[in-house]
Amino acid sequence: MKSATELDAADPLAPFRDLFVHSSAESDLIYLDGNSLGRQPAAVSEILQRVVHQEWAERLIRGWNEGWLDISRSVGDLIGQLLGAQPGEVILAENTSACLYKVATAALRARPEGKKLVTDSENFPSDIQILESACVSAGANCRVEVVDTTISPDPMTSLLSAIDDSTALVSLSHVSYKLGWRWNLEEVNKAAERCDALVLWDFSHSVGAVPINVAATGVNLAVGCTYKYLNGGPGAPAFIYVRSDQTQLANPVAGWFGSTAPFSFDPSSPPAPGVERFLTGTPHVVSAALIEPGVAMLLEAGMDRVYEKSVALSERFIHLCDERLADAGFEVRSPRNPDQRGSHVALFHPYAQAVGLALIHEQSVIPDFRPPDLLRFGFAPMYTSFTDIDNTVDHIIEVVENGGVDRWRDETPLVP
Ligand SMILES: Cc1ncc(COP(=O)(O)O)c(C=O)c1O
């Protein structure tokens, strides 16, 4: 195995690391939670300065005619480039939850009543909750079928056996939030298409981490967040992708910003023709503006190179965990096959939360914890180094050997 120093020296993405903010007060911090909240691009403070101190402070209401009105579309198109979408197929709006509700409800309403929505037990729990709400809004006979993929050794077979002629919509997280399981987009889309069902993907854990080509893989509909691997910042707006031929879908929360003429103040103004019809109200201008630098850097780096590094980082971590941590009770629970994995790795330990807290408070390593017994290590290729991987494993061993588990066993933080 090559040394981490050699790999870092040969890493074509290494220069991007310095384009993110690294606090000088914590120069040794190893940040492995970019799958929850990405690091801040250095360019953000200049944009914030411009939007807040020039556009808002000086231009005031004139800002709407000087770029604000189009911001959901312009940043959406930039994200669209990452997804292989056409201009006008991606829009920024609200948050992932609200976007999921809107698109799921629209898709269900476009299908005859009495059909089912298929999802899986590894999906983000709040997504399942929202899909239930969408079913209620869509019609009396609509129901959610949650395929239990947690216990399945072959999730794809379990899922495919649930997709049949009574299916109106399939909705899944492309990469699952806990184990990092990754669905094959094309295989699921084709199976749904054979049953005349639509598929709505949640790209929150995959956009900016693995290559996505919506056109080549037959994706109809998707939503995703911008604060993980896109580094858009806390509470940054989410995005909606609606393929341009899905003209039958209507926004269930229609409002002025989704109409052809918001400033006609006419409630009968028809819906905008493209994905813009899924807008509802005023865009989050300040936070939308902050999404651009993270996406621009990913486009510059190229998703093939980003993914290549993601696999190399994850494979190294898995190898070191198997070799050095198995005897201490740790077990890799994410898929072993990189084709079935996103860019985070879940590690089981009976006292995972205590290990995580000791890493954060005693070792300057930030992973996160998902109950009951998993630590997640997110490898954002734009700023994670191979040395970070080796040092993390050293720190985990230190925690176990120096009694960190006992010191943190009784603590329960507000955000795990
Ligand atoms: C896969 C997935 N979907 C949806 C959400 C919810 O996103 P939001 O709270 O921004 O609506 C999250 C949050 O982490 C997520 O991981």
Side-chain angles (χ1 to χ4, degrees), residues 25-59:
E26 282 188 302
S27 54
D28 59 343
L29 179 72
I30 302 176
Y31 188 65
L32 300 178
D33 210 2
N35 52 314
S36 220
L37 176 68
R39 272 190 183 277
Q40 184 184 115
V44 155
S45 60
E46 201 182 310
I47 293 176
L48 192 64
Q49 184 76 13
R50 189 195 76 217
V51 177
V52 172
H53 297 292
Q54 291 172 25
E55 295 178 10
W56 176 18
E58 294 169 13
R59 301 305 297 154

Side-chain angles (χ1 to χ4, degrees), residues 364-386:
S364 266
V365 178
I366 303 190
D368 68 14
F369 164 72
R370 287 295 172 263
D373 47 25
L374 292 177
L375 283 170
R376 294 188 313 179
F377 296 84
F379 306 120
M382 298 295 278
Y383 51 77
T384 305
S385 69
F386 291 91

Side-chain angles (χ1 to χ4, degrees), residues 126-144:
S126 170
D127 280 20
I128 298 177
Q129 195 179 356
I130 285 156
L131 296 173
E132 298 272 8
S133 302
C135 265
V136 172
S137 304
N141 296 319
C142 187
R143 66 189 171 87
V144 176

Side-chain angles (χ1 to χ4, degrees), residues 218-236:
V219 175
N220 321 116
L221 308 166
V223 297
C225 89
T226 60
Y227 49 72
K228 301 180 193 289
Y229 296 100
L230 302 189
N231 308 290

Side-chain angles (χ1 to χ4, degrees), residues 324-330 349-350 396-397 400:
R324 302 185 61 201
L325 298 178
D327 288 347
F330 291 91
H349 188 272
I396 296 173
I397 289 170
V400 172

Side-chain angles (χ1 to χ4, degrees), residues 275-300:
V275 69
E276 268 159 311
R277 70 191 183 280
F278 278 91
L279 292 177
T280 300
T282 307
H284 310 281
V285 172
V286 179
S287 35
L290 305 186
I291 297 170
E292 194 236 302
V295 179
M297 278 193 281
L298 284 163
L299 288 169
E300 190 188 333

